[in-house]
């Protein structure tokens, strides 16, 4: 099978006049849908934009290789487009800021497909696009047929495969590891760039690709022993990093070799960042003056790591509760508030099943803090911090009160999990660095000394500081919120809603989610403003693209955003706020403030009218679980209309101003 068999002439469009990234991606996605490569355009586009947010898919010399890995992909393949006029600089985020994209390959990758022939061929395509002459010939083609024939011709030229085992015969031999989040384009293009640069410098290199196919061209022990250094070009954690212990290394993002691969090779040979550590020793940075990650950055990374691992557990727990309560109420017609009644133990049938499923969901919620704290510690101290972090999370969740039979104990909650998780990481890392044992006793350190001493430290810290301070603080907050007037609750709602809507799934949104979920988990304050603020921006922006011509009698959005608007509206009902990201990227100074105002207006309206939602289920199927659903829906409508009309009127005013100044308006 050849690369050309992964596409067909009908998936190729030559010299089109589209002028935005969004319109191009939509057109190519539609082609893939029409030819049966994908079964859901919105779902696939969402995966493509998610990849776009991770790092640039624009390259250099006019090339862009967007790609999405999704369950919506039926079979692997790609669509191609060339433009009659290159896009403007920075219209497509690229490794080269001056890149003007005019050749686009959109790769569709099945989510469950790994290690297959299809993925290998897509990887081969990414490598072929490193050939400047091939890219130049693509630019000159005027028809879809010519473009397809060039792909076929390139297949014939690529029959000779590279030797699997390089011969180490030069004076300098280095290793490389490449890995990107998706595991396709950047992984292989970075490897190709390093190999090409090494050949030009007279250096022998072996690059291990850690992609969607698993570990390809895996380096051997003999190669590692012979190597003068290692280049880690990765956006993910290196698999088997300890294999390279004792070797000089540099670590950069996977896209870096595409820009300066020669300088990376020279750096690893002459001025590496440090020495790769064994699993029981921290990496040394004595070979360079490169500063370590700052405390603030390290703390933020730890928090975001903990949150990212905690979210799937929250979703799973919420789904268990949602399924149980919805079926209990809608199918059995029973009171959702009585589902936890112990009288239903042992009654059998669907009633006991749903009762137990609800209990299971509640049990899962008890472990959100242990998961958060253990992975926050893991971010700082790697595996040595997991156990102490987990212990800290148990304390934060108040599970010690349950097991010790203490009634009325106030857990430290999210703040306790944060302090104990981070402390566990730093204590474990400190012990790992400072404890020195002979080779014969080295196994005692990770298996006995570090977990024992770190867990003891966490126990003492929690007993004398965290529980008294943060447990007490939680009680004060709880008492304050309980005693709050309507305006006080509205103030907290406004803060949570504003932060949630600010960056559509970004770090501020996630930080707000962590706080809101922590308050909800401790049953201090419901998630009502949080869940509403997730869906209001995508619904409001989507609606605005549909009604603008009726409100101001003209379109206020360009064609590509009108297309995105329909997708954003549909994704809003599924609680996927990322559907609104293209609007934010295009006009952040308009979109962000209106999103925030709309989220505040809608959330505060719902809360003021008495809507209550304790579960993290903002999608449409979670609405029946809301207490006082009419109030919730009124708040939702208010927020959506504020976002929709706010965007329409502000954008219309800007259009009128541009027209008054004689400027061209794209709509």
């Amino acid at each position: 099978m050849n690369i050309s068999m992964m596409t067909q002439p009908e998936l190729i469009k030559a010299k089109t006049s589209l002028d935005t990234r969004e319109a191009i991606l939509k057109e190519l996605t539609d082609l893939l849908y029409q030819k049966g490569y994908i079964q859901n355009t919105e779902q696939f586009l969402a995966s493509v934009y998610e990849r776009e947010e991770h790092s640039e898919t624009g390259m250099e010399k006019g090339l862009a290789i967007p790609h999405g890995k999704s369950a919506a992909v039926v079979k692997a393949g790609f669509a191609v487009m060339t433009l009659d006029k290159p896009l403007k600089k920075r219209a497509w985020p690229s490794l080269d800021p001056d890149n003007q994209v005019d050749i686009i390959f959109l790769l569709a990758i099945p989510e469950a497909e790994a290690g297959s022939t299809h993925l290998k061929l897509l990887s081969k395509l990414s490598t072929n696009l490193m050939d400047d002459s091939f890219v130049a010939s693509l630019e000159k083609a005027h028809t879809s047929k010519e473009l397809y024939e060039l792909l076929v011709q390139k297949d014939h030229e690529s029959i000779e495969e590279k030797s699997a085992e390089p011969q180490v015969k030069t004076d300098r031999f280095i290793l490389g590891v490449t890995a990107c989040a998706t595991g396709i384009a950047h992984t292989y293009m970075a490897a190709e760039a390093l190999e090409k640069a090494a050949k030009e410098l007279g250096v022998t290199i072996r690059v291990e690709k850690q992609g969607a196919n698993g570990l390809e061209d895996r380096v051997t022990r003999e190669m590692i022993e012979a190597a003068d250094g290692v280049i880690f070009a990765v956006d993910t954690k290196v698999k088997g990093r300890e294999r390279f212990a004792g070797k000089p290394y540099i670590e950069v993002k996977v896209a870096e070799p595409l820009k300066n691969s020669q300088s990376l090779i020279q750096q690893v040979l002459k001025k590496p960042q440090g020495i790769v550590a064994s699993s029981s020793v921290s990496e040394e940075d004595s070979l360079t003056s490169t500063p370590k990650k700052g405390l603030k950055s390290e703390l933020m990374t730890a928090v975001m790591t903990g949150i990212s691992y905690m979210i799937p557990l929250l979703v799973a727990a919420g789904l268990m509760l949602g399924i149980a309560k919805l079926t209990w109420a809608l199918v059995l017609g029973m009171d959702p508030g009585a589902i936890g009644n112990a009288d239903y133990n042992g009654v059998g049938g669907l009633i006991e099943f749903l009762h137990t499923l609800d209990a299971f969901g509640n049990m899962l919620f008890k472990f959100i803090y242990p998961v958060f704290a253990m992975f926050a510690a893991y971010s700082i101290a790697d595996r040595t911090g997991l156990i102490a972090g987990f212990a800290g999370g148990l304390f934060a969740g108040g599970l010690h009160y349950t097991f010790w039979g203490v009634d009325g104990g106030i857990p430290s909650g999210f703040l306790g999990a944060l302090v104990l998780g981070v402390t566990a990481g730093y204590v474990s890392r400190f012990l790992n660095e400072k404890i020195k044992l002979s080779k014969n006793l080295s196994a005692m350190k990770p298996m006995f000394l570090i977990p024992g001493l770190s867990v003891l430290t966490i126990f003492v810290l929690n007993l004398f500081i965290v529980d008294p301070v943060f447990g007490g603080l939680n009680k004060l907050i709880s008492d304050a919120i309980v005693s709050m007037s309507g305006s006080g609750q509205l103030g907290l709602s406004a803060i949570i809603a504003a932060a949630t809507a600010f960056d559509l799934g970004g770090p501020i949104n996630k930080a707000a989610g962590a706080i809101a979920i922590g308050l909800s988990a401790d049953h201090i304050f419901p998630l009502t403003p949080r869940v509403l603020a997730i869906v209001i921006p995508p619904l409001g922006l989507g609606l605005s693209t549909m009604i603008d011509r009726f409100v101001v009698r003209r379109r206020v959005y360009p064609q590509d955003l009108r297309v995105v608007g329909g997708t954003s509206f549909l994704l809003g009902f599924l609680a996927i706020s990322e559907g609104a990201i293209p609007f934010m990227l295009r006009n952040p100074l308009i979109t962000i403030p209106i999103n925030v105002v709309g989220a505040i207006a809608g959330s505060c309206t719902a809360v003021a009218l008495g809507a209550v939602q304790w579960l993290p289920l903002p999608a449409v199927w979670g609405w029946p679980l809301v207490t006082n659903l009419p109030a919730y829906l009124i708040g939702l409508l208010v927020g959506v209309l504020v976002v929709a009309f706010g965007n329409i009127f502000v954008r219309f005013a800007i259009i009128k101003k541009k027209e008054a100044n004689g400027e061209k308006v794209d709509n």
Side-chain angles (χ1 to χ4, degrees):
M1 184 181 291
N2 296 320
I3 291 175
S4 54
M5 297 180 68
M6 298 293 293
T7 190
Q8 48 188 290
E10 293 81 6
L11 290 176
I12 301 174
K13 299 194 73 171
K15 301 302 179 183
T16 63
S17 58
L18 299 180
D19 59 0
T20 66
R21 177 178 65 161
E22 292 74 19
I24 292 167
L25 290 174
K26 180 65 168 60
E27 179 73 17
L28 291 174
T29 298
D30 287 342
L31 292 177
L32 290 166
Y33 176 76
Q34 292 163 12
K35 302 307 294 183
Y37 284 78
I38 62 175
Q39 59 185 358
N40 185 305
T41 56
E42 289 82 6
Q43 186 178 351
F44 175 68
L45 266 175
S47 71
V48 172
Y49 278 115
E50 182 180 354
R51 178 62 185 86
E52 291 287 303
E53 288 301 303
H54 184 74
S55 63
E56 303 93 340
T57 58
M59 303 299 170
E60 56 183 357
K61 301 177 183 177
L63 185 64
I65 313 178
H67 45 286
K69 182 189 294 184
S70 171
V73 180
V74 178
K75 57 181 178 178
F78 61 89
V80 188
M81 180 181 291
T82 61
L83 307 179
D84 58 3
K85 183 180 179 181
L87 299 181
K88 296 178 181 179
K89 293 179 181 179
R90 296 177 174 79
W92 197 303
S94 302
L95 300 175
D96 179 2
D98 296 327
N99 187 35
Q100 294 183 263
V101 171
D102 61 357
I103 304 176
I104 304 95
F105 283 76
L106 176 60
L107 280 59
I109 305 158
E111 191 174 62
E113 189 169 332
S116 70
T117 301
H118 294 124
L119 288 184
K120 291 178 181 177
L121 287 171
L122 290 176
S123 306
K124 183 180 175 185
L125 169 64
S126 301
T127 302
N128 285 346
L129 292 174
M130 293 296 293
D131 184 341
D132 293 342
S133 61
F134 177 52
V135 174
S137 65
L138 294 175
E139 287 183 329
K140 295 176 183 178
H142 290 281
T143 67
S144 300
K145 183 179 178 182
E146 289 178 37
L147 284 168
Y148 184 74
E149 289 175 349
L150 286 169
L151 292 172
V152 174
Q153 179 182 344
K154 186 64 177 177
D155 277 336
H156 293 156
E157 294 174 357
S158 302
I159 292 176
E160 292 293 329
E161 297 290 337
K162 293 188 297 182
S163 172
E165 295 290 335
Q167 294 182 359
V168 185
K169 54 186 179 181
T170 64
D171 291 337
R172 295 172 297 177
F173 174 54
I174 62 174
L175 300 173
V177 176
T178 60
C180 71
T182 306
I184 295 294
H186 286 69
T187 300
Y188 296 91
M189 296 179 77
E192 179 75 9
L194 287 172
E195 290 166 353
K196 182 178 178 181
K199 184 176 181 181
E200 293 171 354
L201 293 173
V203 176
T204 302
I205 189 172
R206 169 67 169 230
V207 183
E208 177 178 288
K209 277 80 74 176
Q210 298 187 356
N213 293 323
L215 269 60
E216 295 182 65
D217 299 325
R218 182 166 186 155
V219 300
T220 64
R221 181 181 301 175
E222 292 75 18
M223 292 177 185
I224 295 173
E225 291 176 353
D228 298 308
V230 188
I231 298 174
F232 297 117
V234 296
D235 285 344
T236 60
K237 190 170 182 177
V238 178
K239 299 173 183 175
R241 185 187 184 101
E242 63 276 1
R243 292 174 292 158
F244 305 95
K247 292 295 175 181
Y249 80 97
I250 61 171
E251 184 167 338
V252 296
K253 289 187 174 294
V254 70
E256 195 66 24
L258 303 181
K259 296 182 285 187
N260 15 302
S261 51
Q262 285 196 8
S263 64
L264 294 178
I265 292 172
Q266 292 169 342
Q267 181 183 353
V268 76
L269 290 171
K270 298 178 181 178
K271 195 177 181 182
Q273 294 172 354
I275 301 295
V276 180
S278 64
S279 58
S280 60
V281 183
S282 62
E283 288 185 355
E284 302 169 8
D285 294 305
S286 59
L287 298 182
T288 179
S289 58
T290 303
K292 293 183 178 181
K293 184 184 290 187
L295 177 62
K296 182 179 179 181
S297 175
E298 189 171 53
L299 287 173
M300 180 57 68
T301 300
V303 172
M304 297 311 298
T305 300
I307 291 172
S308 68
Y309 280 99
M310 181 180 70
I311 286 175
L313 179 60
L314 286 168
V315 172
L319 283 174
M320 298 306 102
L321 292 173
I323 292 170
K325 293 182 186 298
L326 281 173
T327 308
W328 186 273
L330 301 181
V331 176
L332 301 181
M334 300 175 69
D335 178 12
I339 193 173
N341 194 319
D343 293 340
Y344 295 116
N345 289 327
V347 299
L350 182 59
I351 291 179
E352 184 179 4
F353 174 80
L354 296 175
H355 164 74
T356 306
L357 183 62
D358 180 78
F360 175 58
N362 282 303
M363 183 186 73
L364 289 178
F365 266 114
K366 296 292 185 182
F367 287 90
I368 60 172
Y369 292 139
V371 169
F372 168 83
M374 71 187 295
F375 283 105
Y378 170 79
S379 175
I380 296 169
D382 208 84
R383 289 178 295 178
T384 59
L386 286 171
I387 301 304
F390 183 74
L394 292 175
F395 284 131
L399 290 173
H400 56 308
Y401 293 131
T402 301
F403 288 113
W404 297 346
V406 177
D407 293 327
I410 303 294
S412 56
F414 178 77
L415 291 174
L418 176 61
V419 171
L420 292 170
V422 168
T423 302
Y426 282 115
V427 169
S428 299
R429 191 170 74 182
F430 174 82
L431 294 171
N432 194 26
E433 292 173 350
K434 299 303 180 182
I435 295 176
K436 305 295 183 182
L437 298 176
S438 66
K439 185 176 181 180
N440 293 332
L441 299 176
S442 59
M444 288 182 61
K445 185 164 75 168
M447 298 298 293
F448 174 68
L449 292 176
I450 294 177
L453 293 174
S454 60
V455 167
L456 179 61
T457 302
I458 292 301
F459 171 78
V460 173
L461 178 65
N462 180 76
L463 183 64
F464 293 106
I465 298 178
V466 173
D467 259 355
V469 173
F470 295 110
L473 180 61
N474 268 355
K475 189 175 188 309
L476 288 175
I477 294 174
S478 178
D479 292 342
I481 291 177
V482 169
S483 63
M484 269 184 179
S485 64
S487 60
Q489 293 188 29
L490 293 180
L492 182 57
S493 297
I495 293 171
I496 293 173
T500 298
F502 182 80
D503 56 355
L504 301 176
I508 295 177
N509 174 293
K510 288 182 171 60
I515 293 171
I517 289 167
L519 292 172
S520 175
D522 294 332
H523 219 73
I524 294 173
F525 194 76
L527 284 167
T528 315
R530 165 72 177 173
V531 295
L532 278 166
I534 289 173
V535 300
I536 284 173
L539 288 173
L541 283 163
L543 180 63
S544 69
T545 65
M546 302 174 191
I547 65 173
D548 56 350
R549 67 184 187 275
F550 303 111
V551 176
V552 294
R553 299 185 181 279
R554 67 175 298 171
R555 293 286 194 180
V556 300
Y557 291 98
Q559 174 61 33
D560 59 313
L561 285 186
R562 292 202 294 271
V563 173
V564 172
T567 301
S568 176
F569 191 72
L570 291 174
L571 292 179
F573 285 103
L574 302 178
I576 302 174
S577 60
E578 284 79 2
I581 284 178
F583 296 90
M584 187 175 72
L585 293 177
R586 181 70 66 86
N587 303 104
L589 295 180
I590 298 173
T591 307
I592 293 175
I594 296 175
N595 281 349
V596 169
V597 171
I600 292 173
S603 298
C604 288
T605 298
V607 171
L609 293 176
V612 177
Q613 166 67 301
W614 288 101
L615 303 175
L617 295 172
V620 63
W621 52 77
W623 297 356
L625 300 177
V626 177
T627 300
N628 198 344
L629 181 60
Y632 182 92
L633 294 178
I634 291 172
L636 176 65
L637 180 62
V638 168
V640 168
L641 291 179
V642 167
V643 172
F645 284 102
N647 273 279
I648 291 171
F649 289 130
V650 170
R651 292 169 191 270
F652 179 67
I654 292 173
I655 289 173
K656 298 298 290 183
K657 183 177 180 180
K658 286 184 176 180
E659 290 178 340
N661 294 333
E663 299 178 38
K664 182 180 178 181
V665 178
D666 180 21
N667 66 352

